Protein backbone atom coordinates (compact mmCIF):
# COMPACT_ATOMS: atom_id res chain seq x y z
CA UNK A 1 0.00 0.00 0.00
CA UNK A 2 1.31 3.47 -0.91
CA UNK A 3 1.77 5.70 2.12
CA UNK A 4 -0.52 8.71 2.28
CA UNK A 5 1.23 12.11 2.04
CA UNK A 6 1.84 13.69 5.44
CA UNK A 7 0.37 17.12 6.09
CA UNK A 8 0.32 19.58 8.98
CA UNK A 9 -2.76 21.54 10.01
CA UNK A 10 -1.22 24.35 12.01
CA UNK A 11 -4.26 25.59 13.94
CA UNK A 12 -7.55 24.14 15.22
CA UNK A 13 -10.18 23.83 12.54
CA UNK A 14 -13.66 22.31 11.98
CA UNK A 15 -13.66 18.56 12.78
CA UNK A 16 -15.26 18.03 9.35
CA UNK A 17 -12.21 19.60 7.70
CA UNK A 18 -9.88 17.23 9.57
CA UNK A 19 -12.12 14.31 8.52
CA UNK A 20 -12.00 15.46 4.87
CA UNK A 21 -8.21 15.70 4.99
CA UNK A 22 -7.81 12.32 6.74
CA UNK A 23 -9.42 10.61 3.75
CA UNK A 24 -6.34 11.50 1.70
CA UNK A 25 -3.51 12.31 4.09
CA UNK A 26 -1.76 11.35 7.26
CA UNK A 27 -2.76 14.44 9.22
CA UNK A 28 -0.86 15.99 12.11
CA UNK A 29 -3.29 18.49 13.57
CA UNK A 30 -3.47 21.00 16.39
CA UNK A 31 -7.03 20.73 17.65
CA UNK A 32 -5.85 21.98 21.07
CA UNK A 33 -4.99 25.20 19.18
CA UNK A 34 -1.61 25.68 20.83
CA UNK A 35 0.33 28.60 19.35
CA UNK A 36 3.54 26.76 18.57
CA UNK A 37 6.80 28.63 18.98
CA UNK A 38 8.48 29.17 15.61
CA UNK A 39 11.07 26.40 16.20
CA UNK A 40 8.30 23.92 16.94
CA UNK A 41 6.30 24.88 13.84
CA UNK A 42 9.43 24.39 11.72
CA UNK A 43 10.21 21.04 13.37
CA UNK A 44 6.67 19.85 12.67
CA UNK A 45 6.90 20.94 9.02
CA UNK A 46 10.12 18.99 8.48
CA UNK A 47 8.62 15.74 7.18
CA UNK A 48 5.44 17.16 5.58
CA UNK A 49 4.36 17.39 1.93
CA UNK A 50 1.64 19.94 2.65
CA UNK A 51 0.52 22.43 5.27
CA UNK A 52 -2.79 24.10 6.13
CA UNK A 53 -2.05 27.51 7.61
CA UNK A 54 -3.82 30.64 8.81
CA UNK A 55 -2.53 34.20 8.88
CA UNK A 56 -0.53 33.45 12.03
CA UNK A 57 2.06 31.11 10.45
CA UNK A 58 4.89 32.73 8.52
CA UNK A 59 6.12 30.72 5.54
CA UNK A 60 9.42 32.19 4.39
CA UNK A 61 12.85 31.01 3.21
CA UNK A 62 13.73 29.82 6.72
CA UNK A 63 10.56 27.71 7.00
CA UNK A 64 11.07 26.33 3.49
CA UNK A 65 14.67 25.37 4.26
CA UNK A 66 13.43 23.47 7.31
CA UNK A 67 10.90 21.51 5.21
CA UNK A 68 12.65 20.10 2.13
CA UNK A 69 9.72 17.82 1.22
CA UNK A 70 7.10 20.57 1.32
CA UNK A 71 5.12 20.90 -1.92
CA UNK A 72 2.15 23.11 -1.03
CA UNK A 73 0.98 25.48 1.70
CA UNK A 74 -2.73 26.32 1.72
CA UNK A 75 -3.61 29.49 3.62
CA UNK A 76 -7.10 29.73 5.08
CA UNK A 77 -7.32 33.46 4.29
CA UNK A 78 -7.59 35.63 1.23
CA UNK A 79 -4.70 37.78 2.48
CA UNK A 80 -1.31 36.09 2.31
CA UNK A 81 1.20 38.55 3.73
CA UNK A 82 2.34 35.69 6.01
CA UNK A 83 3.74 34.04 2.85
CA UNK A 84 6.96 35.01 1.09
CA UNK A 85 5.54 34.01 -2.29
CA UNK A 86 8.76 34.61 -4.28
CA UNK A 87 10.67 32.39 -1.83
CA UNK A 88 7.96 29.72 -2.14
CA UNK A 89 8.13 29.93 -5.93
CA UNK A 90 11.93 29.67 -5.86
CA UNK A 91 11.60 26.57 -3.68
CA UNK A 92 8.98 25.07 -6.01
CA UNK A 93 6.29 25.20 -3.31
CA UNK A 94 2.72 25.98 -4.36
CA UNK A 95 0.99 28.74 -2.35
CA UNK A 96 -2.80 28.99 -2.24
CA UNK A 97 -5.29 31.34 -0.55
CA UNK A 98 -9.10 31.47 -0.23
CA UNK A 99 -10.45 34.21 -2.51
CA UNK A 100 -14.13 34.85 -3.35
CA UNK A 101 -15.72 32.70 -0.64
CA UNK A 102 -15.41 35.48 1.96
CA UNK A 103 -16.04 38.55 -0.20
CA UNK A 104 -19.67 39.29 0.67
CA UNK A 105 -19.36 38.35 4.35
CA UNK A 106 -16.34 40.61 4.75
CA UNK A 107 -18.07 43.45 2.90
CA UNK A 108 -21.07 43.02 5.25
CA UNK A 109 -18.74 43.38 8.21
CA UNK A 110 -17.02 46.42 6.75
CA UNK A 111 -20.38 48.06 6.51
CA UNK A 112 -21.39 46.95 10.01
CA UNK A 113 -18.18 48.44 11.42
CA UNK A 114 -18.71 51.64 9.46
CA UNK A 115 -22.23 52.02 10.84
CA UNK A 116 -21.21 51.14 14.40
CA UNK A 117 -18.44 53.73 14.19
CA UNK A 118 -20.39 56.54 12.56
CA UNK A 119 -23.40 56.04 14.87
CA UNK A 120 -21.30 55.47 18.00
CA UNK A 121 -23.00 52.19 18.82
CA UNK A 122 -20.44 50.55 21.10
CA UNK A 123 -19.54 53.79 22.87
CA UNK A 124 -23.19 54.42 23.71
CA UNK A 125 -23.73 50.83 24.81
CA UNK A 126 -20.85 51.08 27.27
CA UNK A 127 -22.44 54.27 28.66
CA UNK A 128 -25.80 52.54 29.06
CA UNK A 129 -24.30 49.43 30.68
CA UNK A 130 -22.34 51.63 33.08
CA UNK A 131 -25.67 53.02 34.33
CA UNK A 132 -24.86 56.53 33.09
CA UNK A 133 -28.08 56.96 31.06
CA UNK A 134 -30.31 59.05 33.28
CA UNK A 135 -32.00 61.40 30.78
CA UNK A 136 -32.38 62.19 27.07
CA UNK A 137 -30.23 64.98 25.71
CA UNK A 138 -30.34 66.68 22.32
CA UNK A 139 -26.70 65.94 21.54
CA UNK A 140 -26.33 62.56 23.24
CA UNK A 141 -24.12 60.33 21.07
CA UNK A 142 -24.80 62.35 17.95
CA UNK A 143 -22.70 60.89 15.19
CA UNK A 144 -22.36 61.20 11.44
CA UNK A 145 -24.91 60.24 8.80
CA UNK A 146 -24.12 57.25 6.64
CA UNK A 147 -26.87 57.58 4.02
CA UNK A 148 -26.17 60.18 1.37
CA UNK A 149 -22.62 60.81 2.56
CA UNK A 150 -19.36 60.32 0.66
CA UNK A 151 -17.89 56.85 1.02
CA UNK A 152 -14.18 56.59 0.25
CA UNK A 153 -12.61 53.21 -0.41
CA UNK A 154 -8.85 52.64 -0.47
CA UNK A 155 -8.17 49.34 -2.25
CA UNK A 156 -10.81 48.36 -4.76
CA UNK A 157 -10.54 44.59 -5.06
CA UNK A 158 -13.47 42.24 -4.65
CA UNK A 159 -14.21 43.24 -1.04
CA UNK A 160 -13.87 46.96 -1.79
CA UNK A 161 -16.34 46.58 -4.63
CA UNK A 162 -18.76 44.76 -2.31
CA UNK A 163 -18.62 47.68 0.13
CA UNK A 164 -19.05 50.18 -2.71
CA UNK A 165 -22.18 48.37 -3.97
CA UNK A 166 -23.69 48.32 -0.49
CA UNK A 167 -22.99 52.04 -0.03
CA UNK A 168 -24.14 53.17 -3.45
CA UNK A 169 -27.22 51.01 -3.87
CA UNK A 170 -28.30 50.52 -0.25
CA UNK A 171 -27.49 53.87 1.32
CA UNK A 172 -27.43 56.30 -1.61
CA UNK A 173 -23.81 57.17 -0.92
CA UNK A 174 -21.51 59.02 -3.26
CA UNK A 175 -18.71 56.47 -3.72
CA UNK A 176 -15.13 57.42 -4.55
CA UNK A 177 -12.13 55.11 -4.55
CA UNK A 178 -8.40 54.93 -5.01
CA UNK A 179 -6.54 51.82 -6.09
CA UNK A 180 -3.24 50.84 -7.70
CA UNK A 181 -5.16 50.39 -10.95
CA UNK A 182 -8.45 51.83 -12.08
CA UNK A 183 -11.44 49.49 -12.47
CA UNK A 184 -12.80 48.80 -15.95
CA UNK A 185 -15.81 51.07 -16.75
CA UNK A 186 -18.36 48.22 -16.34
CA UNK A 187 -17.17 47.55 -12.77
CA UNK A 188 -17.08 51.28 -11.94
CA UNK A 189 -20.68 51.52 -13.17
CA UNK A 190 -21.80 48.45 -11.17
CA UNK A 191 -20.30 50.00 -8.02
CA UNK A 192 -21.34 53.55 -8.98
CA UNK A 193 -17.79 54.47 -7.96
CA UNK A 194 -15.56 57.27 -9.19
CA UNK A 195 -11.76 56.96 -9.30
CA UNK A 196 -9.86 59.77 -7.51
CA UNK A 197 -6.28 60.46 -6.43
CA UNK A 198 -5.37 59.39 -2.89
CA UNK A 199 -5.20 63.03 -1.70
CA UNK A 200 -8.72 63.75 -2.94
CA UNK A 201 -9.96 60.54 -1.34
CA UNK A 202 -8.52 61.59 2.02
CA UNK A 203 -9.82 65.15 1.79
CA UNK A 204 -13.38 64.43 0.64
CA UNK A 205 -14.46 61.11 2.18
CA UNK A 206 -16.91 61.31 5.07
CA UNK A 207 -16.19 57.64 5.74
CA UNK A 208 -12.97 56.02 4.58
CA UNK A 209 -12.77 52.22 4.43
CA UNK A 210 -9.41 50.47 3.98
CA UNK A 211 -9.49 47.22 2.02
CA UNK A 212 -6.03 47.06 0.46
CA UNK A 213 -3.55 44.19 0.83
CA UNK A 214 -0.60 44.63 3.17
CA UNK A 215 2.82 45.00 1.56
CA UNK A 216 5.95 47.08 2.11
CA UNK A 217 4.32 49.70 -0.12
CA UNK A 218 1.08 49.85 1.89
CA UNK A 219 2.86 49.91 5.30
CA UNK A 220 1.48 52.95 7.17
CA UNK A 221 -0.51 54.06 4.11
CA UNK A 222 -2.53 55.89 6.76
CA UNK A 223 -0.33 57.72 9.24
CA UNK A 224 -0.29 61.17 10.83
CA UNK A 225 0.06 63.12 7.52
CA UNK A 226 -2.85 61.25 5.92
CA UNK A 227 -5.06 61.57 9.01
CA UNK A 228 -4.34 65.30 9.02
CA UNK A 229 -5.78 65.57 5.51
CA UNK A 230 -9.09 63.97 6.51
CA UNK A 231 -12.18 65.89 7.60
CA UNK A 232 -12.49 66.40 11.37
CA UNK A 233 -15.95 64.82 11.08
CA UNK A 234 -14.65 61.77 9.17
CA UNK A 235 -14.59 58.15 10.25
CA UNK A 236 -11.92 55.60 9.31
CA UNK A 237 -12.52 51.85 9.06
CA UNK A 238 -9.71 49.28 8.72
CA UNK A 239 -10.73 45.72 7.81
CA UNK A 240 -7.60 45.13 5.69
CA UNK A 241 -4.46 44.34 7.69
CA UNK A 242 -2.63 45.61 10.70
CA UNK A 243 0.30 47.82 9.68
CA UNK A 244 -1.63 49.64 6.95
CA UNK A 245 -2.58 52.14 9.65
CA UNK A 246 -0.01 53.60 12.03
CA UNK A 247 -1.94 52.66 15.19
CA UNK A 248 -0.04 55.06 17.48
CA UNK A 249 -0.73 57.96 15.10
CA UNK A 250 -4.38 56.93 14.85
CA UNK A 251 -4.77 56.89 18.62
CA UNK A 252 -3.32 60.41 18.80
CA UNK A 253 -5.61 61.60 15.98
CA UNK A 254 -8.65 60.17 17.76
CA UNK A 255 -7.62 61.70 21.09
CA UNK A 256 -7.01 65.12 19.49
CA UNK A 257 -10.20 64.89 17.36
CA UNK A 258 -8.23 65.17 14.12
CA UNK A 259 -10.88 62.74 12.86
CA UNK A 260 -14.15 61.91 14.58
CA UNK A 261 -13.95 58.15 15.03
CA UNK A 262 -12.51 54.86 13.80
CA UNK A 263 -13.57 51.23 13.51
CA UNK A 264 -10.63 48.84 13.59
CA UNK A 265 -10.69 45.05 13.07
CA UNK A 266 -6.96 44.52 12.39
CA UNK A 267 -3.95 45.74 14.36
CA UNK A 268 -0.19 46.12 14.16
CA UNK A 269 1.27 43.13 16.04
CA UNK A 270 -2.17 41.62 16.75
CA UNK A 271 -3.47 40.05 18.91
CA UNK A 272 -1.74 42.80 20.87
CA UNK A 273 -3.59 46.11 20.62
CA UNK A 274 -1.82 49.45 21.02
CA UNK A 275 -2.66 50.60 24.58
CA UNK A 276 -3.38 54.14 23.38
CA UNK A 277 -6.20 52.81 21.19
CA UNK A 278 -7.74 51.15 24.24
CA UNK A 279 -7.66 54.49 26.02
CA UNK A 280 -9.73 56.51 23.52
CA UNK A 281 -13.52 56.25 23.51
CA UNK A 282 -14.19 57.13 19.86
CA UNK A 283 -13.00 53.86 18.39
CA UNK A 284 -14.83 50.59 17.81
CA UNK A 285 -12.41 47.68 18.26
CA UNK A 286 -13.06 44.12 17.06
CA UNK A 287 -10.69 41.10 17.12
CA UNK A 288 -10.09 40.40 13.38
CA UNK A 289 -13.53 38.89 12.76
CA UNK A 290 -14.55 40.38 9.39
CA UNK A 291 -14.85 36.94 7.74
CA UNK A 292 -16.30 35.25 10.82
CA UNK A 293 -19.65 33.74 9.94
CA UNK A 294 -20.14 30.00 10.25
CA UNK A 295 -20.89 29.40 6.54
CA UNK A 296 -17.98 31.56 5.39
CA UNK A 297 -15.42 30.08 7.76
CA UNK A 298 -16.59 26.61 6.62
CA UNK A 299 -16.22 27.64 2.98
CA UNK A 300 -12.72 29.03 3.65
CA UNK A 301 -11.65 25.84 5.45
CA UNK A 302 -13.08 23.69 2.66
CA UNK A 303 -11.33 25.68 -0.05
CA UNK A 304 -7.98 25.45 1.78
CA UNK A 305 -8.48 21.67 2.22
CA UNK A 306 -9.62 21.30 -1.42
CA UNK A 307 -6.41 23.03 -2.50
CA UNK A 308 -4.33 20.44 -0.61
CA UNK A 309 -6.33 17.54 -2.05
CA UNK A 310 -6.46 19.15 -5.49
CA UNK A 311 -2.71 19.44 -5.69
CA UNK A 312 -1.30 16.53 -3.66
CA UNK A 313 -3.86 13.99 -4.96
CA UNK A 314 -4.88 15.29 -8.39
CA UNK A 315 -1.97 17.58 -9.34
CA UNK A 316 -4.12 20.70 -9.63
CA UNK A 317 -4.71 23.26 -6.84
CA UNK A 318 -7.89 25.34 -7.13
CA UNK A 319 -6.59 28.81 -6.28
CA UNK A 320 -2.82 28.96 -6.69
CA UNK A 321 -0.98 32.25 -6.04
CA UNK A 322 2.11 31.12 -7.95
CA UNK A 323 0.81 28.97 -10.84
CA UNK A 324 4.24 29.22 -12.48
CA UNK A 325 5.39 26.52 -10.04
CA UNK A 326 2.94 24.10 -11.69
CA UNK A 327 4.32 24.77 -15.16
CA UNK A 328 7.89 24.07 -14.13
CA UNK A 329 6.96 20.90 -12.15
C1 LIG B 1 -8.80 35.35 8.27
C2 LIG B 1 -8.40 37.39 6.79
O1 LIG B 1 -9.74 35.02 9.22
O2 LIG B 1 -8.88 36.18 4.83
C3 LIG B 1 -8.17 37.02 5.37
O3 LIG B 1 -7.25 37.59 4.76
O4 LIG B 1 -7.87 38.33 7.26
C4 LIG B 1 -9.33 36.60 7.62
O5 LIG B 1 -10.45 36.25 6.87
C5 LIG B 1 -7.47 35.42 8.96
O6 LIG B 1 -6.46 35.89 8.14
C6 LIG B 1 -7.06 34.05 9.48
O7 LIG B 1 -6.43 33.25 8.51
Amino acid sequence: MVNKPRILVARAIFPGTIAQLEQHFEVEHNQADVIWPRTELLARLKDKAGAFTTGSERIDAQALAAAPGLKIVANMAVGYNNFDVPAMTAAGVVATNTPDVLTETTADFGFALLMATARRITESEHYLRAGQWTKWAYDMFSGADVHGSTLGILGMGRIGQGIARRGAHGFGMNVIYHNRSRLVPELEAACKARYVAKDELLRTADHLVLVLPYSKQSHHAIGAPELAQMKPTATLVNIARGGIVDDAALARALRDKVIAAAGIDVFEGEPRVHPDLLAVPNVVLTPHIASATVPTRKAMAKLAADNLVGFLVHGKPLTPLNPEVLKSA
Side-chain angles (χ1 to χ4, degrees), residues 216-236:
K216 275 198 191 99
Q217 293 71 36
S218 64
H219 181 77
H220 287 188
I222 301 294
E226 290 77 18
L227 291 161
Q229 287 187 67
M230 293 174 67
K231 294 181 182 179
T233 50
T235 64
L236 175 73

Side-chain angles (χ1 to χ4, degrees), residues 41-92:
L41 172 70
L42 267 45
R44 288 177 187 269
L45 279 174
K46 194 172 166 33
D47 59 347
K48 303 297 185 300
F52 181 119
T53 56
T54 68
S56 31
E57 292 76 47
R58 192 159 40 83
I59 303 297
D60 55 11
Q62 184 201 33
L64 296 164
L70 199 61
K71 295 189 175 69
I72 175 169
V73 185
N75 214 28
M76 183 184 144
V78 66
Y80 51 90
N81 55 303
N82 57 314
F83 283 180
D84 181 340
V85 178
M88 292 174 80
T89 306

Side-chain angles (χ1 to χ4, degrees), residues 156-231:
M156 198 59 154
R158 290 163 285 221
I159 298 168
Q161 292 167 40
I163 292 169
R165 286 195 312 273
R166 281 160 179 77
H169 300 293
F171 288 80
M173 297 171 92
N174 164 38
V175 181
I176 54 177
Y177 76 98
H178 183 74
N179 197 38
R180 272 174 307 183
S181 50
R182 207 177 148 163
L183 295 183
V184 295
E186 300 76 54
L187 281 179
E188 281 193 351
C191 298
K192 288 198 183 174
R194 186 167 63 84
Y195 182 84
V196 295
K198 185 176 170 188
D199 283 353
E200 184 178 344
L201 185 82
L202 294 169
R203 280 199 317 270
T204 50
D206 293 311
H207 307 287
L208 178 61
V209 183
L210 309 178
V211 212
L212 65 170
Y214 180 80
S215 65
K216 275 198 191 99
Q217 293 71 36
S218 64
H219 181 77
H220 287 188
I222 301 294
E226 290 77 18
L227 291 161
Q229 287 187 67
M230 293 174 67
K231 294 181 182 179

Side-chain angles (χ1 to χ4, degrees), residues 97-116:
N97 67 340
T98 59
D100 300 318
V101 292
L102 47 62
T103 301
E104 298 303 326
T105 293
T106 305
D108 280 352
F109 187 84
F111 226 86
L113 196 51
L114 161 56
M115 297 202 68

Side-chain angles (χ1 to χ4, degrees), residues 54-55 76-79 102 241 288 291 297 300:
T54 68
M76 183 184 144
V78 66
L102 47 62
R241 272 291 177 275
H288 201 149
S291 68
R297 286 284 165 84
M300 292 166 68

